[in-house]
Amino acid sequence: MDKRTVLVLGGGTGGLVAASVLRRELAPEDRVVLVERSPKHTFWPSVLWLMSGSRRAEQVQRDLLPVARRGIEVRHGDITEIDPERRRIVVDGDMLAGDALVVALGATLVPERVPGLAEAGGNFYTVEGAMRIHDQISNLQRGRVAVLVADVPFKCPAAPYEAAMLLESLLRRHHVRDETTVTVYAAEPAPMAVAGPAVSQGVVEVIGRRGIDYRPSTKVTRVDPAAKRLYFDSGQEADFDVLAVVPPHAAPEAVRNSPLAGPNGWIAIDPATCETRFANVFAIGDVTTVPLKLGKPLPKAGVFAGGQAEVVAHTLAARLRGRGREQRFDGHGECFIEMGGGVAGFARGNFYAEPVPQVQMFRAGRHWHAAKVAYERNWWRSWF
Ligand SMILES: Cc1cc2nc3c(=O)[nH]c(=O)nc-3n(C[C@H](O)[C@H](O)[C@H](O)COP(=O)(O)OP(=O)(O)OC[C@H]3O[C@@H](n4cnc5c(N)ncnc54)[C@H](O)[C@@H]3O)c2cc1C
């Protein structure tokens, strides 16, 4: 049989899992090419711990070299064009072609969409930003901490609420909690709303118990970085001393400029197979949009990117090599909710359930925090 080539676009959560499972499931002579602009892979769930000071940068990021040693061809470079009809891409001016494409390019952060936001800093969705916030909080004696969700959609629906609780916990550890305030200003009407009202209410209660002020449906329109002031669409304003931001997200430029892009730039896929409207071109993770019956899309989260990656890898092994069966993604997902002080909550459920997702929130405790630590350890052990 001819040698097959699968191009995996993006070496983040979904791309790494897809390439690794493909390598295992395809024939040894087949090529699995992983194209990634960054030399390092980041385990994003641990970045919140980087911000709260319980991890160092080298513990949340690893070089992709061990992945290459396992027989995955890692190509470092910038993907500038995607031609799904011919299953070709352009990487730093070179054209690569495959029998199948797996697009896992994630979401791009676009703080520049809000005037002043990029200049104000405080973006904890980057490793550098998370580290800077840690330093700022560590030096804070008194003042206002603002956790800002600038727009929807954003990846990891729990992250801003976890960030607020972890920072609040850090302020307590530094004995400055009485001199500080923590406020979450969120462009969304409720936390983790796709998971249902019980989960939303649960999150509102736990942050309330920690004295964190919550302002939902509050969308920032502009930031004055010099005056350290936020301006909202309601006409209200708020001052801050430390800012922790979830910036607006957009589909990556190469996707937006390709025939794969839907109306908002994100890629529409078959919810079960993850195939796009182009044969043997799949898309997984944050770069996709999957509408749910309740009128909101499937959240952008690593747990879904990884689950979809496994499905697509097995499907391609079946199609290209006749190995095993094509698989279907069933919409199950789970998430830890870090609350500080070594305590976490946990939510799990079926996001494809109709008419609304069926998600259960479990009682918070130290065991869920321990489970997240085990999940982190298992991630590095499984894929590196
Ligand atoms: C602070 C934080 C905490 C989080 N915690 C959790 C959690 O606890 N649980 C959970 O499920 N999810 C969590 N998430 C969300 C999770 O990280 C993402 O949903 C997940 O990484 C999505 O995977 P992906 O493969 O779609 O995209 P990504 O992991 O973002 O990967 C996309 C990759 O494509 C590369 N790329 C993009 N454009 C190009 C280009 N033009 N050329 C070459 N390469 C390119 C990028 O460099 C990147 O490596 C968290 C996110 C953050 C920021």
Side-chain angles (χ1 to χ4, degrees), residues 34 38-41 62-72 74 76 383-384:
L34 181 69
S38 166
K40 288 190 174 151
H41 175 87
R62 285 205 193 161
D63 201 290
L64 279 168
L65 210 62
V67 176
R69 278 197 221 107
R70 289 206 321 264
I72 295 168
V74 177
H76 287 301
W383 311 118
F384 280 81

Side-chain angles (χ1 to χ4, degrees), residues 234-300:
S234 59
Q236 286 176 320
E237 300 172 12
D239 292 329
F240 64 86
D241 295 288
V242 176
L243 186 61
V245 180
V246 178
H249 290 29
E253 197 181 346
V255 170
R256 273 185 277 139
N257 295 336
S258 83
L260 287 169
N264 294 320
W266 309 108
I267 304 175
I269 54 169
D270 180 307
T273 64
C274 305
E275 197 163 16
T276 67
R277 63 191 174 91
F278 300 94
N280 284 337
V281 178
F282 296 81
I284 56 176
D286 293 353
V287 75
T288 67
T289 182
V290 179
L292 302 177
K293 267 269 156 30
L294 84 162
K296 295 189 169 83
L298 181 72
K300 297 190 185 301

Side-chain angles (χ1 to χ4, degrees), residues 10 12-14 36-37 44-45 77-79 104-106 125 156 285-286 301-303 305:
T13 310
E36 168 59 51
R37 63 154 65 111
W44 288 104
D78 227 312
I79 299 164
L105 290 171
Y125 272 35
C156 193
D286 293 353
V303 65

Side-chain angles (χ1 to χ4, degrees), residues 323-341:
R323 290 188 174 175
R325 287 213 195 127
E326 297 199 11
Q327 291 192 358
R328 297 171 74 77
F329 181 61
D330 62 8
H332 277 82
E334 55 195 38
C335 121
F336 299 103
I337 304 159
E338 280 292 304
M339 295 175 178

Side-chain angles (χ1 to χ4, degrees), residues 303-322:
V303 65
F304 297 127
Q308 292 170 326
E310 301 240 11
V311 163
V312 167
H314 285 287
T315 295
L316 279 172
R319 279 197 200 171
L320 301 178
R321 282 291 165 197

